Amino acid sequence: MRSIKALLLAASFLALTGCAVNVGGSARRADVPPPPAAVPAPPAVVPGPADDPRLNATLYMQQAEELRRLSRQAFALATIRLPAALRQPGSAALEQADGGAGKPPAVIFDVDETVLDNSPHQARAILGGVRHFDLGLWDEWLSERAATPMPGAVDFVKELRRNNVRVVYITNRECRPRPASPGQDCPQHADTIANLNAVGLGPVAPEDLMLKGQGGWPSDKAPRRIKVAETHRIIMSLGDQFSDMMSVTRRDDSTARARIAADHEALWDTRWVVIPNPTYGQWLDVLPAPTTDMLRPEIRQP
Ligand SMILES: [Mg+2]
């Protein structure tokens, strides 16, 4: 009995120290390193929707009550400012330097992420693994005419119409021929009017929607503002981008944009209203890659 116990203890010791145990005569010497075990290759990292840098911003657009409240507050502010904007002389357009006195009033809106919410398009891109803007998918989305209104937009547009203010939509949705619409130069124009009308932002007359490329309009919205200013006093401008209010260049970085904005405090305080859009925009386009370098861990005085 004592000898069996001793044998078991010895076997445990050898097993613990990694020494070879002679089993069936196929001993391996303890001083020979074991053959390298086959290391399984790490699974290939396939970026999925959860890794998409647009995920949180798109969720914020679609799920956050806070976004809905911000949008409603922006349009409520515009409504509060409307009587003074009508009453007081001056223009919201820098291009209308004469103030537009004597002309009937107009308000200029951007369309995307100002009065229409295109977040389903963005969600589809994320879920489909489409990391970059895809003009074909975007055009398909426009043809659906299915965008919903940004919260608060319909009420403000109705308020403008009650006050006989012309509502003009200036958008960089672009005119492009579409195989499904042969012979039409700008099917996007009809799509956008139908979408705006369907959600209560109309009735939109054809001349009250101006697209990029339509009649040769460039992406800079200034010439279209000048066109409106020929016949109307532009009393307010609303958009989710700087360029919806004034011309900026793609070379303007964040610091330059802040400086340019500060030149027009009076207009921000009275006639310009920004709609929140965390999902895309010039604010993001101007950041150099990698954007993580733009994070600021140091405390900066405002
Ligand atoms: Mg926009």
Side-chain angles (χ1 to χ4, degrees), residues 79-93:
T79 307
I80 291 167
R81 288 178 171 177
L82 177 60
L86 278 165
R87 193 175 56 246
Q88 292 174 358
S91 174

Side-chain angles (χ1 to χ4, degrees), residues 158-236:
K158 284 183 176 163
E159 180 69 10
L160 293 176
R161 297 197 191 283
R162 267 195 297 274
N163 283 275
N164 297 314
V165 177
R166 181 186 174 196
V167 173
V168 184
Y169 298 103
I170 296 181
T171 174
N172 278 350
R173 290 186 172 198
E174 191 168 1
C175 291
R176 283 165 47 89
R178 187 184 285 156
S181 310
Q184 291 185 39
D185 290 342
C186 192
Q188 295 80 10
H189 191 263
D191 287 340
T192 305
I193 287 184
N195 199 155
L196 292 167
N197 286 342
V199 299
L201 290 162
V204 182
E207 63 273 22
D208 290 341
L209 172 66
M210 305 162 89
L211 276 70
K212 177 181 172 184
Q214 182 191 349
W217 295 123
S219 57
D220 182 352
K221 295 183 172 181
R224 284 173 279 180
R225 286 192 289 267
I226 291 169
K227 177 70 180 168
V228 176
E230 285 174 5
T231 55
H232 288 72
R233 180 168 75 100
I234 301 168
I235 61 165
M236 297 178 87

Side-chain angles (χ1 to χ4, degrees), residues 110-114 221 240-241 244 277 280:
D110 169 54
V111 172
D112 296 313
E113 278 54 65
T114 294
K221 295 183 172 181
D240 66 308
Q241 308 278 320
D244 297 327
N277 174 12
Y280 64 87

